[in-house]
PDB file of all heavy atoms in Angstrom:
ATOM      1  N   ALA A  29       6.586  11.061  -0.996  1.00 95.00           N
ATOM      2  CA  ALA A  29       6.164   9.785  -1.562  1.00 95.00           C
ATOM      3  C   ALA A  29       5.261   9.958  -2.781  1.00 95.00           C
ATOM      4  O   ALA A  29       5.383   9.211  -3.758  1.00 95.00           O
ATOM      5  CB  ALA A  29       5.455   8.957  -0.498  1.00 95.00           C
ATOM      6  N   THR A  30       4.356  10.917  -2.751  1.00 96.00           N
ATOM      7  CA  THR A  30       3.441  11.101  -3.873  1.00 96.00           C
ATOM      8  C   THR A  30       4.203  11.451  -5.144  1.00 96.00           C
ATOM      9  O   THR A  30       3.909  10.910  -6.225  1.00 96.00           O
ATOM     10  CB  THR A  30       2.394  12.185  -3.553  1.00 96.00           C
ATOM     11  OG1 THR A  30       1.660  11.778  -2.397  1.00 96.00           O
ATOM     12  CG2 THR A  30       1.435  12.396  -4.704  1.00 96.00           C
ATOM     13  N   ILE A  31       5.188  12.321  -5.042  1.00 96.00           N
ATOM     14  CA  ILE A  31       6.003  12.682  -6.203  1.00 96.00           C
ATOM     15  C   ILE A  31       6.834  11.492  -6.659  1.00 96.00           C
ATOM     16  O   ILE A  31       7.011  11.263  -7.855  1.00 96.00           O
ATOM     17  CB  ILE A  31       6.905  13.892  -5.894  1.00 96.00           C
ATOM     18  CG1 ILE A  31       6.049  15.117  -5.563  1.00 96.00           C
ATOM     19  CG2 ILE A  31       7.841  14.191  -7.053  1.00 96.00           C
ATOM     20  CD1 ILE A  31       5.138  15.582  -6.660  1.00 96.00           C
ATOM     21  N   ALA A  32       7.336  10.692  -5.723  1.00 97.00           N
ATOM     22  CA  ALA A  32       8.101   9.496  -6.086  1.00 97.00           C
ATOM     23  C   ALA A  32       7.223   8.514  -6.858  1.00 97.00           C
ATOM     24  O   ALA A  32       7.654   7.949  -7.873  1.00 97.00           O
ATOM     25  CB  ALA A  32       8.671   8.838  -4.841  1.00 97.00           C
ATOM     26  N   ILE A  33       5.998   8.309  -6.405  1.00 96.00           N
ATOM     27  CA  ILE A  33       5.057   7.430  -7.102  1.00 96.00           C
ATOM     28  C   ILE A  33       4.762   7.977  -8.495  1.00 96.00           C
ATOM     29  O   ILE A  33       4.778   7.238  -9.490  1.00 96.00           O
ATOM     30  CB  ILE A  33       3.751   7.267  -6.289  1.00 96.00           C
ATOM     31  CG1 ILE A  33       4.032   6.473  -5.014  1.00 96.00           C
ATOM     32  CG2 ILE A  33       2.657   6.614  -7.126  1.00 96.00           C
ATOM     33  CD1 ILE A  33       2.903   6.534  -4.008  1.00 96.00           C
ATOM     34  N   PHE A  34       4.518   9.274  -8.581  1.00 97.00           N
ATOM     35  CA  PHE A  34       4.253   9.914  -9.873  1.00 97.00           C
ATOM     36  C   PHE A  34       5.422   9.696 -10.830  1.00 97.00           C
ATOM     37  O   PHE A  34       5.225   9.322 -11.991  1.00 97.00           O
ATOM     38  CB  PHE A  34       3.979  11.407  -9.680  1.00 97.00           C
ATOM     39  CG  PHE A  34       3.812  12.154 -10.965  1.00 97.00           C
ATOM     40  CD1 PHE A  34       2.601  12.116 -11.644  1.00 97.00           C
ATOM     41  CD2 PHE A  34       4.846  12.893 -11.504  1.00 97.00           C
ATOM     42  CE1 PHE A  34       2.433  12.801 -12.843  1.00 97.00           C
ATOM     43  CE2 PHE A  34       4.698  13.578 -12.694  1.00 97.00           C
ATOM     44  CZ  PHE A  34       3.488  13.543 -13.366  1.00 97.00           C
ATOM     45  N   ILE A  37       5.581   6.067 -12.060  1.00 97.00           N
ATOM     46  CA  ILE A  37       4.527   5.797 -13.043  1.00 97.00           C
ATOM     47  C   ILE A  37       4.872   6.444 -14.376  1.00 97.00           C
ATOM     48  O   ILE A  37       4.729   5.823 -15.435  1.00 97.00           O
ATOM     49  CB  ILE A  37       3.152   6.255 -12.509  1.00 97.00           C
ATOM     50  CG1 ILE A  37       2.714   5.316 -11.382  1.00 97.00           C
ATOM     51  CG2 ILE A  37       2.106   6.306 -13.620  1.00 97.00           C
ATOM     52  CD1 ILE A  37       1.473   5.767 -10.632  1.00 97.00           C
ATOM     53  N   GLN A  38       5.337   7.678 -14.358  1.00 97.00           N
ATOM     54  CA  GLN A  38       5.710   8.368 -15.591  1.00 97.00           C
ATOM     55  C   GLN A  38       6.833   7.638 -16.323  1.00 97.00           C
ATOM     56  O   GLN A  38       6.889   7.627 -17.555  1.00 97.00           O
ATOM     57  CB  GLN A  38       6.132   9.813 -15.303  1.00 97.00           C
ATOM     58  CG  GLN A  38       5.017  10.700 -14.805  1.00 97.00           C
ATOM     59  CD  GLN A  38       3.913  10.882 -15.815  1.00 97.00           C
ATOM     60  OE1 GLN A  38       4.153  11.244 -16.956  1.00 97.00           O
ATOM     61  NE2 GLN A  38       2.683  10.609 -15.415  1.00 97.00           N
ATOM     62  N   ILE A  49      -5.450  -1.133 -11.172  1.00 98.00           N
ATOM     63  CA  ILE A  49      -5.347  -0.491  -9.867  1.00 98.00           C
ATOM     64  C   ILE A  49      -6.379  -1.150  -8.960  1.00 98.00           C
ATOM     65  O   ILE A  49      -7.584  -1.112  -9.247  1.00 98.00           O
ATOM     66  CB  ILE A  49      -5.592   1.021  -9.955  1.00 98.00           C
ATOM     67  CG1 ILE A  49      -4.555   1.663 -10.879  1.00 98.00           C
ATOM     68  CG2 ILE A  49      -5.573   1.655  -8.568  1.00 98.00           C
ATOM     69  CD1 ILE A  49      -4.793   3.133 -11.157  1.00 98.00           C
ATOM     70  N   SER A  53      -7.352   2.271  -3.201  1.00 96.00           N
ATOM     71  CA  SER A  53      -5.959   2.532  -3.533  1.00 96.00           C
ATOM     72  C   SER A  53      -5.602   3.973  -3.168  1.00 96.00           C
ATOM     73  O   SER A  53      -6.467   4.782  -2.859  1.00 96.00           O
ATOM     74  CB  SER A  53      -5.718   2.317  -5.027  1.00 96.00           C
ATOM     75  OG  SER A  53      -6.448   3.253  -5.787  1.00 96.00           O
ATOM     76  N   TYR A  54      -4.326   4.240  -3.233  1.00 96.00           N
ATOM     77  CA  TYR A  54      -3.857   5.607  -2.971  1.00 96.00           C
ATOM     78  C   TYR A  54      -4.433   6.518  -4.046  1.00 96.00           C
ATOM     79  O   TYR A  54      -4.447   6.169  -5.232  1.00 96.00           O
ATOM     80  CB  TYR A  54      -2.330   5.607  -2.968  1.00 96.00           C
ATOM     81  CG  TYR A  54      -1.709   6.893  -2.488  1.00 96.00           C
ATOM     82  CD1 TYR A  54      -2.010   7.395  -1.241  1.00 96.00           C
ATOM     83  CD2 TYR A  54      -0.820   7.578  -3.291  1.00 96.00           C
ATOM     84  CE1 TYR A  54      -1.434   8.568  -0.792  1.00 96.00           C
ATOM     85  CE2 TYR A  54      -0.235   8.751  -2.851  1.00 96.00           C
ATOM     86  CZ  TYR A  54      -0.537   9.247  -1.609  1.00 96.00           C
ATOM     87  OH  TYR A  54       0.022  10.408  -1.177  1.00 96.00           O
ATOM     88  N   ASP A  55      -4.892   7.684  -3.664  1.00 95.00           N
ATOM     89  CA  ASP A  55      -5.657   8.540  -4.576  1.00 95.00           C
ATOM     90  C   ASP A  55      -4.871   9.107  -5.753  1.00 95.00           C
ATOM     91  O   ASP A  55      -5.470   9.595  -6.702  1.00 95.00           O
ATOM     92  CB  ASP A  55      -6.317   9.682  -3.803  1.00 95.00           C
ATOM     93  CG  ASP A  55      -5.344  10.637  -3.148  1.00 95.00           C
ATOM     94  OD1 ASP A  55      -4.132  10.355  -3.134  1.00 95.00           O
ATOM     95  OD2 ASP A  55      -5.793  11.673  -2.640  1.00 95.00           O
ATOM     96  N   SER A  56      -3.563   9.029  -5.752  1.00 96.00           N
ATOM     97  CA  SER A  56      -2.803   9.601  -6.867  1.00 96.00           C
ATOM     98  C   SER A  56      -2.502   8.594  -7.976  1.00 96.00           C
ATOM     99  O   SER A  56      -2.028   8.984  -9.040  1.00 96.00           O
ATOM    100  CB  SER A  56      -1.492  10.217  -6.367  1.00 96.00           C
ATOM    101  OG  SER A  56      -0.569   9.207  -6.005  1.00 96.00           O
ATOM    102  N   TYR A  57      -2.762   7.303  -7.757  1.00 97.00           N
ATOM    103  CA  TYR A  57      -2.432   6.303  -8.773  1.00 97.00           C
ATOM    104  C   TYR A  57      -3.162   6.558 -10.093  1.00 97.00           C
ATOM    105  O   TYR A  57      -2.538   6.634 -11.155  1.00 97.00           O
ATOM    106  CB  TYR A  57      -2.752   4.889  -8.296  1.00 97.00           C
ATOM    107  CG  TYR A  57      -1.902   4.354  -7.179  1.00 97.00           C
ATOM    108  CD1 TYR A  57      -2.304   3.246  -6.456  1.00 97.00           C
ATOM    109  CD2 TYR A  57      -0.695   4.939  -6.825  1.00 97.00           C
ATOM    110  CE1 TYR A  57      -1.534   2.730  -5.421  1.00 97.00           C
ATOM    111  CE2 TYR A  57       0.077   4.432  -5.796  1.00 97.00           C
ATOM    112  CZ  TYR A  57      -0.348   3.327  -5.103  1.00 97.00           C
ATOM    113  OH  TYR A  57       0.416   2.816  -4.078  1.00 97.00           O
ATOM    114  N   GLY A  58      -4.478   6.645 -10.042  1.00 97.00           N
ATOM    115  CA  GLY A  58      -5.272   6.832 -11.262  1.00 97.00           C
ATOM    116  C   GLY A  58      -4.893   8.073 -12.045  1.00 97.00           C
ATOM    117  O   GLY A  58      -4.610   7.983 -13.247  1.00 97.00           O
ATOM    118  N   PRO A  59      -4.893   9.254 -11.415  1.00 97.00           N
ATOM    119  CA  PRO A  59      -4.513  10.459 -12.155  1.00 97.00           C
ATOM    120  C   PRO A  59      -3.088  10.405 -12.726  1.00 97.00           C
ATOM    121  O   PRO A  59      -2.849  10.893 -13.828  1.00 97.00           O
ATOM    122  CB  PRO A  59      -4.640  11.574 -11.104  1.00 97.00           C
ATOM    123  CG  PRO A  59      -5.632  11.056 -10.131  1.00 97.00           C
ATOM    124  CD  PRO A  59      -5.395   9.578 -10.078  1.00 97.00           C
ATOM    125  N   SER A  60      -2.177   9.780 -12.004  1.00 98.00           N
ATOM    126  CA  SER A  60      -0.799   9.672 -12.507  1.00 98.00           C
ATOM    127  C   SER A  60      -0.738   8.795 -13.749  1.00 98.00           C
ATOM    128  O   SER A  60      -0.028   9.113 -14.706  1.00 98.00           O
ATOM    129  CB  SER A  60       0.123   9.103 -11.423  1.00 98.00           C
ATOM    130  OG  SER A  60       0.228   9.989 -10.335  1.00 98.00           O
ATOM    131  N   VAL A  61      -1.481   7.707 -13.741  1.00 98.00           N
ATOM    132  CA  VAL A  61      -1.538   6.821 -14.910  1.00 98.00           C
ATOM    133  C   VAL A  61      -2.126   7.572 -16.095  1.00 98.00           C
ATOM    134  O   VAL A  61      -1.596   7.515 -17.217  1.00 98.00           O
ATOM    135  CB  VAL A  61      -2.363   5.553 -14.594  1.00 98.00           C
ATOM    136  CG1 VAL A  61      -2.705   4.784 -15.861  1.00 98.00           C
ATOM    137  CG2 VAL A  61      -1.613   4.674 -13.600  1.00 98.00           C
ATOM    138  N   GLU A  62      -3.210   8.296 -15.876  1.00 98.00           N
ATOM    139  CA  GLU A  62      -3.856   9.023 -16.967  1.00 98.00           C
ATOM    140  C   GLU A  62      -2.974  10.141 -17.506  1.00 98.00           C
ATOM    141  O   GLU A  62      -2.935  10.374 -18.717  1.00 98.00           O
ATOM    142  CB  GLU A  62      -5.209   9.537 -16.507  1.00 98.00           C
ATOM    143  CG  GLU A  62      -6.192   8.383 -16.280  1.00 98.00           C
ATOM    144  CD  GLU A  62      -7.521   8.815 -15.700  1.00 98.00           C
ATOM    145  OE1 GLU A  62      -7.791  10.028 -15.630  1.00 98.00           O
ATOM    146  OE2 GLU A  62      -8.289   7.918 -15.307  1.00 98.00           O
ATOM    147  N   LEU A  63      -2.227  10.825 -16.634  1.00 97.00           N
ATOM    148  CA  LEU A  63      -1.304  11.855 -17.102  1.00 97.00           C
ATOM    149  C   LEU A  63      -0.176  11.271 -17.944  1.00 97.00           C
ATOM    150  O   LEU A  63       0.370  11.947 -18.813  1.00 97.00           O
ATOM    151  CB  LEU A  63      -0.724  12.634 -15.918  1.00 97.00           C
ATOM    152  CG  LEU A  63      -1.626  13.691 -15.309  1.00 97.00           C
ATOM    153  CD1 LEU A  63      -1.016  14.242 -14.026  1.00 97.00           C
ATOM    154  CD2 LEU A  63      -1.855  14.821 -16.301  1.00 97.00           C
ATOM    155  N   HIS A  70      -9.749   0.069 -12.758  1.00 98.00           N
ATOM    156  CA  HIS A  70      -9.960  -0.114 -11.312  1.00 98.00           C
ATOM    157  C   HIS A  70     -10.672  -1.438 -11.044  1.00 98.00           C
ATOM    158  O   HIS A  70     -11.686  -1.751 -11.675  1.00 98.00           O
ATOM    159  CB  HIS A  70     -10.765   1.044 -10.730  1.00 98.00           C
ATOM    160  CG  HIS A  70     -10.008   2.335 -10.751  1.00 98.00           C
ATOM    161  ND1 HIS A  70      -9.282   2.761  -9.671  1.00 98.00           N
ATOM    162  CD2 HIS A  70      -9.853   3.270 -11.723  1.00 98.00           C
ATOM    163  CE1 HIS A  70      -8.714   3.917  -9.962  1.00 98.00           C
ATOM    164  NE2 HIS A  70      -9.046   4.238 -11.198  1.00 98.00           N
TER     165      HIS A  70
END
Side-chain angles (χ1 to χ4, degrees):
T30 300
I31 298 299
I33 292 167
F34 175 80
I37 289 172
Q38 293 297 308
I49 300 174
S53 65
Y54 190 57
D55 64 351
S56 73
Y57 292 164
S60 295
V61 167
E62 292 175 10
L63 281 172
H70 292 266

